[in-house]
């Protein structure tokens, strides 16, 4: 009987730790970066491991704008652990590319374009974004 109880305690401990390791990150929210000459933001809605959202990138002091309408979906992807692999569409060229978003901590993510869209686009190749309140 004692061995059975020990086995059950170990099993519960292992299952609890396994669930913590496999817990998905929550990326829902608005994430942004602002400099003196540019702004980049993405809005993410996450349901389970599926994300949708949109982007807005303004560069060269407003001379180059690649922004989606508020209701337009330009980001679609899947959450795996602490990152998202997604497809995005440039609102400037209407062409698609791929990107990866990695959660650095609860208030910071890293955006990296993996495959550039064809044609002109004004979305940063990489950026560190912080979550807006």
């Amino acid at each position: 009987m004692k061995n059975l109880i020990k086995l059950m305690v170990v099993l519960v401990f292992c299952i609890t730790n396994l669930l913590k390791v496999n817990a998905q990150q929550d990326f829902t929210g608005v994430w942004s970066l602002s400099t003196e000459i540019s702004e980049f933001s993405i809005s993410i809605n996450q349901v389970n491991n599926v994300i949708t959202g949109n982007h807005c990138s303004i560069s060269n002091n407003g001379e180059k704008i690649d922004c989606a309408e508020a209701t337009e979906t330009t980001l679609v992807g899947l959450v795996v652990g602490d990152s998202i692999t997604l497809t995005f569409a440039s609102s400037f060229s209407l062409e698609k590319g791929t990107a990866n978003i990695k959660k650095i901590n609860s208030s910071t993510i890293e955006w990296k374009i993996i495959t550039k869209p064809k044609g002109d686009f004004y979305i940063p190749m990489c950026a560190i974004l912080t979550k807006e309140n």
Side-chain angles (χ1 to χ4, degrees), residues 54-105:
N54 59 40
H55 74 281
C56 185
S57 181
I58 302 170
S59 57
N60 296 346
N61 290 316
E63 291 180 17
K64 303 295 182 184
I65 299 174
D66 195 329
C67 288
E69 297 291 328
T71 57
E72 185 180 6
T73 299
T74 59
L75 308 173
V76 177
L78 292 175
V79 177
V80 178
D82 67 347
S83 66
I84 300 170
T85 300
L86 61 86
T87 300
F88 68 93
S90 167
S91 295
F92 192 84
S93 68
L94 304 178
E95 296 291 335
K96 293 183 180 179
T98 60
N100 184 270
I101 297 173
K102 182 172 174 128
K103 181 87 73 98
I104 295 172
N105 58 44

Side-chain angles (χ1 to χ4, degrees), residues 45-60:
N45 181 40
Q46 180 177 340
V47 177
N48 298 319
N49 69 331
V50 176
I51 71 106
T52 56
N54 59 40
H55 74 281
C56 185
S57 181
I58 302 170
S59 57
N60 296 346

Side-chain angles (χ1 to χ4, degrees), residues 7-74:
L7 179 62
M8 289 183 70
V9 169
V10 169
L11 184 60
V12 168
F13 177 76
C14 289
I15 290 172
T16 302
N17 284 333
L18 183 62
L19 289 174
K20 287 179 186 175
V21 168
N22 289 326
Q24 287 187 344
Q25 297 285 327
D26 182 14
F27 288 89
T28 298
V30 176
W31 305 82
S32 64
L33 166 67
S34 183
T35 69
E36 289 181 19
I37 61 169
S38 66
E39 294 179 23
F40 177 54
S41 66
I42 57 176
S43 177
I44 297 175
N45 181 40
Q46 180 177 340
V47 177
N48 298 319
N49 69 331
V50 176
I51 71 106
T52 56
N54 59 40
H55 74 281
C56 185
S57 181
I58 302 170
S59 57
N60 296 346
N61 290 316
E63 291 180 17
K64 303 295 182 184
I65 299 174
D66 195 329
C67 288
E69 297 291 328
T71 57
E72 185 180 6
T73 299
T74 59

Side-chain angles (χ1 to χ4, degrees), residues 106-119:
S106 63
S107 62
T108 311
I109 60 174
E110 178 184 47
W111 162 275
K112 281 189 180 180
I113 292 180
I114 307 301
T115 307
K116 296 182 206 179
K118 293 179 182 176

